[in-house]
Amino acid sequence: MGNSAVCTCGQGLAPPVKQKLLDEPGLLPNSLESWEFCSLDLDAEQLGLAAFVILQAFFLGCGGIDQDLLAGFVCGARDGYLPNPYHNFAHAVDVLHTMLRLSIWMPWDELF
């Protein structure tokens, strides 16, 4: 796995992510909760944090408790991308964010 600042896979990402977000409130754009979010404006560290934050709510909502496991998933997804100008980790975070925004509008209770 990668050794960049985005994911410290072997060391556990969850506690450092929480602390980093508390220490640097402007690290992730406020647009993370709106359609104004643009993954192409983020650096590598912000992309990893954004993916972790977006996935965390769903992970915990589905009974996941091991946030280091989630961090490892984010690292694995990031590290699995080949160098590509379009289908890369920034694109993955963009699609993840879009699915989050669309899922908020979905009337899940009426479907199931």
Side-chain angles (χ1 to χ4, degrees), residues 24-60:
E24 301 177 46
L27 186 63
L28 286 178
N30 292 335
S31 62
L32 190 62
E33 296 183 10
S34 78
W35 285 110
E36 300 300 315
F37 176 79
C38 180
S39 64
L40 300 177
D41 292 340
L42 304 181
D43 62 27
E45 181 178 22
Q46 291 171 316
L47 284 170
L49 291 172
F52 184 85
V53 168
I54 292 169
L55 288 170
Q56 186 177 31
F58 292 101
F59 181 72
L60 296 174

Side-chain angles (χ1 to χ4, degrees), residues 70-92:
L70 177 61
F73 173 78
V74 171
C75 292
R78 181 211 55 207
D79 294 346
Y81 279 93
L82 299 174
N84 186 309
Y86 182 73
H87 286 111
N88 52 36
F89 191 57
H91 178 253

Side-chain angles (χ1 to χ4, degrees), residues 88-100:
N88 52 36
F89 191 57
H91 178 253
V93 174
D94 185 49
V95 171
L96 175 64
H97 177 262
T98 299
M99 297 309 300
L100 168 70

